[in-house]
Amino acid sequence: MRTDISKIRIVIIDQIVQETSTIRTLIFKDNLCYKSKPGQFIMVWIPGAEELPMSLMSWDKKDYTAITIHKQGYGSTQLHNKSKGDIIGIRGPYGNHFKIKKQSRKVLLIGGGIGVIPLLKLATQLNEYRVDTTLIIGARSKDEILFEKQANYFLSETMHKVVVTTEDGSYGIHGQATDVMARILENEKFDNVYTCGPELMMKKVFDIASSHSLPVQARLGRYMKCGIGICASCCIGEQLVCKDGTVFNEKKLRFMTEFGQINRDKSGRKAILHY
Ligand SMILES: Cc1cc2nc3c(=O)[nH]c(=O)nc-3n(C[C@H](O)[C@H](O)[C@H](O)COP(=O)(O)OP(=O)(O)OC[C@H]3O[C@@H](n4cnc5c(N)ncnc54)[C@H](O)[C@@H]3O)c2cc1C
Ligand code: FES
């Protein structure tokens, strides 16, 4: 029997990993999420609190999946504070996904902050297809670097490089992930670029990749209420991020005048993106 992905499924938190002081990974059993494609997301219902969109992580135990939560405001703090054995509700997986072109031999991935999460699931697939992969993980400081070890593990069967950058120089290469991307592209050729992270970073990635005529796929985020294309809270121009995305290629990104410029708050009011 097919499971209806629009209905909430109740799952029990099986394991919790403390990644940093403000970031935790919750692991639970769900076959649909286990089989999800890289870049897809779920809506997570936190009983008595909120429902939030969350990216799906790669988890290598059959039928298990994981979400990684950065504790920010009320909803994410409630989710972050869950314990082993607690229940949450999930809908999805929703949205389109990163696509690996058949002719791809060598690709470049750029992830900033928690944006590295959907890229890890992509890395797992690139590993399976033996695509030569360079992953740049950007963070503000050493304490905020996520999943360097896991990335090397998920890419262990293919040629790969994991490069870490920190803005304060406390670990890896000093600078922004996009500076390193620009330097790498001076010497190496790639077939595709994939990115997820703060939108201003993704806009820079798009601009740099475009200057090298490289195709890009970017995983965008917007305020989401329904997650299934009904409420329009996630619109970016004509596109609904939850339904038409969340992954957009360079052909779509080029015509999105709000990309890297404007976000919308809970009430739909436009807000200018700042560094
Ligand atoms: C497709 C997608 C995938 C995401 N994946 C992750 C993830 O893997 N891990 C993670 O920690 N966070 C993820 N987020 C962000 C997460 O959904 C929340 O936005 C974030 O946790 C802050 O929520 P809050 O209620 O704690 O904070 P608040 O203080 O209420 O808000 C902080 C910021 O988050 C935004 N926000 C709040 N609620 C939503 C919502 N329903 N949809 C979109 N933005 C919202 C607000 O506009 C504000 O800018 C994702 C968002 C999207 C759209
Ligand atoms: S979140 Fe409702 S249309 Fe996208």
Side-chain angles (χ1 to χ4, degrees):
M1 201 178 67
R2 272 177 83 100
T3 312
D4 182 351
I5 58 165
S6 64
K7 289 204 176 121
I8 289 189
R9 308 188 289 284
I10 302 298
V11 296
I12 302 167
I13 297 165
D14 183 67
Q15 199 186 327
I16 295 177
V17 180
Q18 188 81 43
E19 310 287 359
T20 71
S21 58
T22 54
I23 296 180
R24 282 172 144 200
T25 298
L26 309 186
I27 298 113
F28 53 90
K29 193 172 181 184
D30 184 76
N31 176 263
L32 282 181
C33 291
Y34 174 75
K35 290 195 294 201
S36 69
K37 306 246 168 64
Q40 287 195 293
F41 70 96
I42 51 171
M43 294 299 293
V44 180
W45 171 58
I46 310 133
E50 271 239 48
E51 199 183 25
L52 286 177
M54 287 282 147
S55 307
L56 287 163
M57 265 279 285
S58 225
W59 200 255
D60 63 357
K61 187 171 166 192
K62 188 170 180 317
D63 287 341
Y64 280 76
T65 193
I67 51 174
T68 296
I69 300 105
H70 181 200
K71 179 171 146 182
Q72 293 184 68
Y74 175 70
S76 56
T77 302
Q78 296 299 309
L79 188 55
H80 180 272
N81 291 347
K82 290 278 166 212
S83 308
K84 185 176 165 168
D86 283 350
I87 58 156
I88 49 172
I90 58 169
R91 294 189 283 127
Y94 294 138
N96 66 0
H97 54 91
F98 287 118
K99 293 182 184 71
I100 304 172
K101 294 186 184 143
K102 267 203 184 107
Q103 65 274 23
S104 278
R105 291 281 163 268
K106 191 170 170 182
V107 299
L108 180 60
L109 278 52
I110 302 104
I114 54 168
V116 76
I117 297 166
L119 296 181
L120 284 186
K121 204 153 172 82
L122 174 65
T124 312
Q125 211 167 70
L126 291 162
N127 187 55
E128 210 176 291
Y129 299 166
R130 303 290 188 269
V131 179
D132 185 339
T133 303
T134 298
L135 167 64
I136 306 173
I137 300 176
R140 274 187 295 226
S141 64
K142 188 178 177 185
D143 312 338
E144 295 184 14
I145 297 158
L146 284 176
F147 306 126
E148 182 187 9
K149 217 165 96 191
Q150 287 87 337
N152 277 302
Y153 171 71
F154 289 131
L155 288 165
S156 58
E157 306 278 312
T158 193
M159 291 269 288
H160 72 278
K161 230 182 314 176
V162 176
V163 184
V164 177
T165 72
T166 51
E167 286 174 25
D168 68 357
S170 50
Y171 186 77
I173 300 175
H174 189 181
Q176 295 194 328
T178 45
D179 301 335
V180 175
M181 172 195 178
R183 281 205 293 275
I184 290 177
L185 284 177
E186 280 168 21
N187 303 309
E188 289 182 60
K189 294 223 175 310
F190 293 87
D191 300 312
N192 265 285
V193 173
Y194 299 88
T195 186
C196 184
E199 195 158 310
L200 291 166
M201 180 204 85
M202 290 196 285
K203 176 68 166 64
K204 268 196 194 169
V205 167
F206 169 75
D207 290 341
I208 296 168
S210 301
S211 70
H212 289 263
S213 306
L214 269 173
V216 191
Q217 294 176 41
R219 218 302 296 270
L220 304 193
R222 278 291 179 277
Y223 196 91
M224 287 182 185
K225 289 178 188 163
C226 71
I228 50 171
I230 297 170
C231 70
S233 68
C234 66
C235 72
I236 171 162
E238 298 285 301
Q239 308 281 331
L240 295 176
V241 173
C242 70
K243 190 163 170 272
D244 304 320
T246 53
V247 177
F248 295 93
N249 65 21
E250 73 288 349
K251 293 186 189 93
K252 294 256 172 74
L253 294 167
R254 194 158 296 132
F255 294 103
M256 287 181 172
T257 50
E258 291 182 9
F259 172 51
Q261 305 285 338
I262 286 162
N263 204 343
R264 282 167 202 271
D265 66 15
K266 217 173 199 165
S267 65
R269 221 180 358 238
K270 287 183 178 179
I272 302 213
L273 283 166
H274 293 288
Y275 280 97

